[in-house]
Amino acid sequence: MTAPTSFPDPQAALQATLKAAGTVIFGKERQIRLALACFLAHGHLLIEDLPGVGKTTLAHTLAQLLGLAFSRIQFTSDLLPADILGVSIFERERSSFKFLPGPIFAQLVLADEINRATPKAQSALLEAMEERQVTAEGETRRLPDPFFVIATQNPMYQIGTFPLPESQLDRFLMRIALGYPEHAAERALLEAGDVRQRIPQVPALFSAETLRALQKDVTRIHAAPPLFDYIHALVVETRSVSLWRHGLSPRAALALLAAARAWACIDGRDRVLPEDVQAVFSAVAAHRLSRVDGGHAQEDDLTALIHRVPLP
């Protein structure tokens, strides 16, 4: 991996990250920013969309720009937990077992097409995502720091998919969709050709130490008491909507606050505004709200909810 490009301050590096990612992922500035905010908030990201819209390319690009050691796990129906966590082998020369770490031991892990694996294989990620450690062969091992999981998921109506349980979905701070590019962006993509060839040329803009410091700084961004009241009001409102089976949990409220702080950090501000909460609300809340008629909350439902809750 190349040495990080030097920037006068982390804020300049964040803006350079957004700009550089936009040269690979055309016309998806908001989704790129949400993905970066998810990382800064010390969360994990789920990207749900059709094949071929750039989910994997976005993960590769972020790993390159953030200077993170990258691994990819292709989830299939025959994937086993040991294929993710690692396995011990017996060394005859030493008459002992040696643990061979699996691909989960990377700083950015791409769980590609996560819903094509069985629930048993999916569950191998639960401890890693929540505790940032894995227990294998009777021993607990810490994962790298920083540690960021990006999972991609195909729509549930496609053949050969297994739904992610609520406990697994809740491990993801955000869920985003890329969608089809707009006309101008898709036209530019056709002219540019295979943009994946650009990824190796994208510079690493951070060191691991800088990223850890940034994630710590995000937790210190000021949130005033009225801001806490606003987040609480949004969460309580989700619990009164008969459209959904249940509302947001206290953990979801904490996730919303963390994401809003990260959004403010990217803007270079030292305090959270209600607009920051609104900007990340859909990405944080939608996959946590199950509709009584099936599926999850829609963008229009969440926008209407935001309009019903008065600003502080």
Side-chain angles (χ1 to χ4, degrees), residues 277-297:
V277 178
Q278 294 173 348
V280 300
F281 183 70
S282 179
V284 172
H287 62 292
R288 292 179 164 92
L289 296 171
S290 300
R291 294 170 59 101
V292 294
D293 57 355
H296 290 94

Side-chain angles (χ1 to χ4, degrees), residues 125-168:
L125 287 176
L126 286 174
E127 182 185 11
M129 295 173 66
E130 185 68 18
E131 306 295 336
R132 298 177 190 272
Q133 64 183 29
V134 297
T135 302
E137 309 292 338
E139 184 177 343
T140 299
R141 297 173 173 87
R142 298 297 301 175
L143 291 167
D145 183 21
F147 176 69
F148 185 32
V149 173
I150 297 180
T152 68
Q153 176 172 265
N154 294 326
M156 291 308 303
Y157 59 79
Q158 293 200 339
I159 297 174
T161 58
F162 298 85
L164 294 181
E166 281 76 7
S167 59
Q168 181 84 28

Side-chain angles (χ1 to χ4, degrees), residues 57-119:
T57 303
L58 175 57
H60 275 279
T61 303
L62 279 179
Q64 184 74 12
L65 286 168
L66 297 176
L68 299 175
F70 176 82
S71 72
R72 173 178 175 175
I73 307 172
Q74 184 63 52
F75 278 63
T76 57
S77 59
D78 59 350
L79 188 75
L80 298 175
D83 298 327
I84 300 171
L85 305 180
V87 65
S88 291
I89 61 170
F90 184 75
E91 292 186 324
R92 297 182 59 183
E93 297 80 4
R94 300 182 179 181
S95 297
S96 62
F97 285 90
K98 178 182 179 181
F99 180 73
L100 298 180
I104 195 68
F105 287 88
Q107 293 172 316
L108 193 155
V109 178
L110 171 61
D112 209 10
E113 297 185 307
I114 187 173
N115 59 335
R116 289 200 178 278
T118 62

Side-chain angles (χ1 to χ4, degrees), residues 117 170 214 251 255 298:
D170 197 49
L214 264 174
R251 178 159 57 181
Q298 301 299 313

Side-chain angles (χ1 to χ4, degrees), residues 2-300:
T2 59
T5 301
S6 177
F7 274 87
D9 62 79
Q11 185 61 37
L14 288 175
Q15 297 307 313
T17 299
L18 296 175
K19 183 177 180 180
T23 66
V24 180
I25 311 294
F26 292 179
K28 299 298 176 184
E29 291 79 9
R30 174 176 172 77
Q31 288 90 336
I32 293 170
R33 181 169 169 154
L34 283 169
L36 182 59
C38 186
F39 171 78
L40 292 176
H42 224 258
H44 303 291
L45 178 67
L46 177 63
I47 309 176
E48 183 179 49
D49 218 319
L50 296 167
V53 295
K55 302 187 298 294
T56 303
T57 303
L58 175 57
H60 275 279
T61 303
L62 279 179
Q64 184 74 12
L65 286 168
L66 297 176
L68 299 175
F70 176 82
S71 72
R72 173 178 175 175
I73 307 172
Q74 184 63 52
F75 278 63
T76 57
S77 59
D78 59 350
L79 188 75
L80 298 175
D83 298 327
I84 300 171
L85 305 180
V87 65
S88 291
I89 61 170
F90 184 75
E91 292 186 324
R92 297 182 59 183
E93 297 80 4
R94 300 182 179 181
S95 297
S96 62
F97 285 90
K98 178 182 179 181
F99 180 73
L100 298 180
I104 195 68
F105 287 88
Q107 293 172 316
L108 193 155
V109 178
L110 171 61
D112 209 10
E113 297 185 307
I114 187 173
N115 59 335
R116 289 200 178 278
T118 62
K120 183 177 182 179
Q122 293 175 11
S123 67
L125 287 176
L126 286 174
E127 182 185 11
M129 295 173 66
E130 185 68 18
E131 306 295 336
R132 298 177 190 272
Q133 64 183 29
V134 297
T135 302
E137 309 292 338
E139 184 177 343
T140 299
R141 297 173 173 87
R142 298 297 301 175
L143 291 167
D145 183 21
F147 176 69
F148 185 32
V149 173
I150 297 180
T152 68
Q153 176 172 265
N154 294 326
M156 291 308 303
Y157 59 79
Q158 293 200 339
I159 297 174
T161 58
F162 298 85
L164 294 181
E166 281 76 7
S167 59
Q168 181 84 28
L169 283 171
D170 197 49
R171 296 305 195 279
F172 292 100
L173 178 70
M174 293 185 186
R175 184 191 69 175
I176 64 173
L178 294 178
Y180 293 123
E182 295 182 356
H183 175 79
E186 191 162 20
R187 173 65 177 79
L189 179 63
L190 289 171
E191 189 171 349
D194 189 357
V195 293
R196 289 174 297 181
Q197 297 177 359
R198 299 183 182 184
I199 296 176
Q201 283 73 51
V202 170
L205 302 178
F206 296 90
S207 65
E209 292 76 15
T210 302
L211 291 174
R212 286 193 290 267
L214 264 174
Q215 288 180 326
K216 187 173 293 185
D217 288 343
V218 165
T219 65
R220 301 191 186 106
I221 290 178
H222 178 70
L227 195 283
F228 294 139
D229 293 336
Y230 181 56
I231 290 177
H232 182 251
L234 286 170
V235 171
V236 170
E237 182 67 18
T238 66
R239 299 167 188 168
S240 65
V241 178
S242 59
L243 181 67
W244 302 321
R245 295 183 188 276
H246 51 75
L248 293 177
S249 68
R251 178 159 57 181
L254 292 171
L256 184 57
L257 175 60
R261 280 182 162 135
W263 194 266
C265 175
I266 295 174
D267 264 351
R269 285 182 279 104
D270 62 356
R271 63 187 61 245
V272 184
L273 302 177
E275 289 80 5
D276 301 322
V277 178
Q278 294 173 348
V280 300
F281 183 70
S282 179
V284 172
H287 62 292
R288 292 179 164 92
L289 296 171
S290 300
R291 294 170 59 101
V292 294
D293 57 355
H296 290 94
Q298 301 299 313
E299 185 81 27
D300 292 345

